[in-house]
Amino acid sequence: MNVLVIGSGGREHALAWKLKQSPRVGKLYCAPGNAGCAEVAECVAADVKDVSGLADLAQKLKADLTVVGPELPLVLGVADEFARRGLKLLGPTKAAAELEGSKVFAKQFMQRHRIPTADFQACALPSDAYSALCAVEWPVVIKADGLAAGKGVHIADEPDDATAIIEALMEKGELGAAGDRVVIEEYLEGEELSFIVLTDGKTILPFAPTQDHKRAFDNDQGPNTGGMGAYSDDYIADATLRQDILTQIVEPAIAGLAADGRPYQGFLYFGLMLTAAGPKLLEFNCRMGDPECQPLLLRLESDLAEALEKTAAGQLAGTELKWSADPSVCVVLASGGYPGSYQTGKPITGIDAAGQLDGVEVFHAGTRPAEGGLATAGGRVLGVTARGADLQAAIERCYQAVEKIQFEGRHFRHDIGARGLKKLAARS
Ligand code: AMP
Ligand code: GLY
């Protein structure tokens, strides 16, 4: 079958890289893709906001399956447009993607279906938000309702901070319509876990557990980013915890969506906080995680194309996913200044040398061809990803590969996976 992957990040390069390994895949396209995608697929120009243009493209390329990486086209209804035209697509409808598109909707959904989450209030007016602050404990978390590219969640330690955040979001409109409504919620303590499943709305196939590193600098310092690295190791969540997550959170969510008339198909990402009172759901994403996708697909031994094809056809029952026992680690190399402003066009060297190391794959995010090689073209530039016999070995290998790659301003975290090592040490 011909497959079209929509998006241009490290997640999409990893998806294309894995799909390319399947004997089921004929022509493979990425729209718009990046320089890494171009090594395994044909890249075609596309605007991911233009859902009807994407459907035109799938028709023109005779794609038998389209796999959507980022949330924006899903929230805008790309799955509905494809369904109208009888085209197969992996990803939820606009109604189901509202789980990510609106935090107010997501929190009310969790409450309606008794999914453990932080206590909250949804506020549609600044005056509601200011009065909600009178009855909270500090710190408190304030979230813009709509998509905000990682800029919508704020933690306020005291009333003055919270008032300034509400003013910026609701009165000054700093995030546009995304901040018209806010959620004010209880601050939860604990460790975060990314729990991603593939579902056709009936069968649920959990992916291996992963942990993201959202802050820009080592030891979780600095501003939030899209994710500076992730690792996957079965120790992150043992079998009992995984079962609790499935029965308390994942199954009620998939069943709840069906009961609400919004049946779900595609990847569903549960952003969890592991609290002393058990796992609680912070957020839904209606797609694969980025960078979580990179270490996950490095561990996946099954045919991804088969699993995605069956998901889109509603025939996932009977499919199993096999995972390598080897843990994996992905370190993101970012442009100097990211997640703030940064320069692009910096020549990159050493990718081939890094990729030649045993067990290493270098996934591209913000890269483009340049004279004599490649140049930086985004905030997150590369996701250097490695597998190892244990987490320590995977981390060492990954950083060996990182050291081979250079570009001006390169910055990365030195502690990806360190939390997992601490956990392992505590067990022995
Ligand atoms: P979200 O987009 O809702 O996942 O929030 C982004 C990040 O903010 C999460 O990954 C957490 O690090 C943090 N966060 C969100 N909600 C809470 C909460 N209720 N308590 C503590 N941290 C939170
Ligand atoms: N890595 C977090 C996300 O994909 O939203």
Side-chain angles (χ1 to χ4, degrees), residues 31-107:
N34 57 37
C37 297
E39 290 170 7
V40 289
E42 185 180 329
C43 291
V44 282
D47 174 1
V48 302
K49 296 187 297 299
D50 176 10
V51 296
S52 120
L54 293 173
D56 291 344
L57 185 64
Q59 272 171 331
K60 187 174 128 208
L61 299 173
K62 299 193 169 32
D64 301 295
L65 177 67
T66 297
V67 179
V68 185
E71 62 278 11
L72 186 59
L74 294 164
V75 169
L76 293 175
V78 72
D80 309 68
E81 179 64 20
F82 272 57
R84 260 194 297 279
R85 302 201 200 179
L87 299 167
K88 276 233 172 73
L89 175 138
L90 189 283
T93 59
K94 183 175 183 172
E98 205 175 351
L99 285 183
E100 181 167 359
S102 164
K103 299 255 188 220
V104 170
F105 173 80
K107 293 294 289 192

Side-chain angles (χ1 to χ4, degrees), residues 11 212 214 226-227 269 283 285 287-292 380:
R11 168 183 49 210
D212 188 13
K214 287 209 169 81
Y269 171 133
E283 63 161 346
N285 292 323
R287 52 170 172 83
M288 241 303 169
D290 189 350
E292 288 93 331
R380 292 192 289 179

Side-chain angles (χ1 to χ4, degrees), residues 11 15 69 196 207 267 269 286-290 293 296-297:
R11 168 183 49 210
L15 286 166
I196 297 164
F207 273 46
F267 290 112
Y269 171 133
C286 61
R287 52 170 172 83
M288 241 303 169
D290 189 350
C293 185
L296 278 172
L297 293 188

Side-chain angles (χ1 to χ4, degrees), residues 72-334:
L72 186 59
L74 294 164
V75 169
L76 293 175
V78 72
D80 309 68
E81 179 64 20
F82 272 57
R84 260 194 297 279
R85 302 201 200 179
L87 299 167
K88 276 233 172 73
L89 175 138
L90 189 283
T93 59
K94 183 175 183 172
E98 205 175 351
L99 285 183
E100 181 167 359
S102 164
K103 299 255 188 220
V104 170
F105 173 80
K107 293 294 289 192
Q108 289 169 346
F109 175 87
M110 294 178 213
Q111 189 174 48
R112 192 157 65 243
H113 297 288
R114 298 182 199 290
I115 294 169
T117 187
D119 288 340
F120 73 100
Q121 287 196 55
C123 307
L125 294 171
S127 54
D128 297 344
Y130 295 126
S131 41
L133 293 180
C134 302
V136 297
E137 288 186 24
W138 302 90
V140 76
V141 185
I142 302 172
K143 300 183 175 183
D145 177 49
L147 290 185
K151 297 199 173 75
V153 176
H154 301 268
I155 294 167
D157 290 320
E158 50 175 42
D160 283 353
D161 299 344
T163 305
I165 293 162
I166 291 167
E167 204 175 85
L169 290 175
M170 302 186 83
E171 304 206 61
K172 296 192 185 139
E174 284 183 5
L175 290 178
D180 284 353
R181 294 189 296 172
V182 300
V183 167
I184 298 184
E185 76 176 36
E186 174 196 10
Y187 177 83
L188 296 177
E189 302 264 9
E191 207 171 293
E192 286 184 61
L193 174 72
S194 306
F195 197 85
I196 297 164
V197 306
L198 186 62
T199 182
D200 63 356
K202 304 177 290 271
T203 300
I204 298 168
L205 290 187
F207 273 46
T210 44
Q211 243 173 356
D212 188 13
H213 297 65
K214 287 209 169 81
R215 302 293 200 95
F217 308 123
D218 290 1
N219 299 316
D220 294 329
Q221 301 296 306
N224 261 339
T225 69
M228 292 297 292
Y231 70 105
S232 173
D233 185 342
D234 292 340
Y235 280 111
I236 300 172
D238 63 20
T240 314
L241 175 59
R242 273 187 263 174
Q243 193 53 50
D244 285 350
I245 293 168
L246 277 171
T247 49
Q248 294 165 21
I249 296 174
V250 178
E251 288 165 8
I254 309 280
L257 282 157
D260 290 356
R262 301 175 190 239
Y264 197 96
Q265 175 265 97
F267 290 112
L268 185 51
Y269 171 133
F270 297 79
L272 303 171
M273 189 69 91
L274 306 178
T275 74
K280 293 196 180 185
L281 184 58
L282 294 180
E283 63 161 346
F284 289 106
N285 292 323
C286 61
R287 52 170 172 83
M288 241 303 169
D290 189 350
E292 288 93 331
C293 185
Q294 290 85 309
L296 278 172
L297 293 188
L298 207 62
R299 291 188 63 199
L300 181 65
E301 291 179 342
S302 310
D303 185 334
L304 181 67
E306 180 183 359
L308 300 189
E309 190 182 9
K310 288 191 168 161
T311 303
Q315 293 165 354
L316 198 52
T319 307
E320 280 181 20
L321 294 180
K322 234 181 129 232
W323 298 95
S324 158
D326 290 358
S328 55
V329 179
C330 170
V331 174
V332 170
L333 303 188

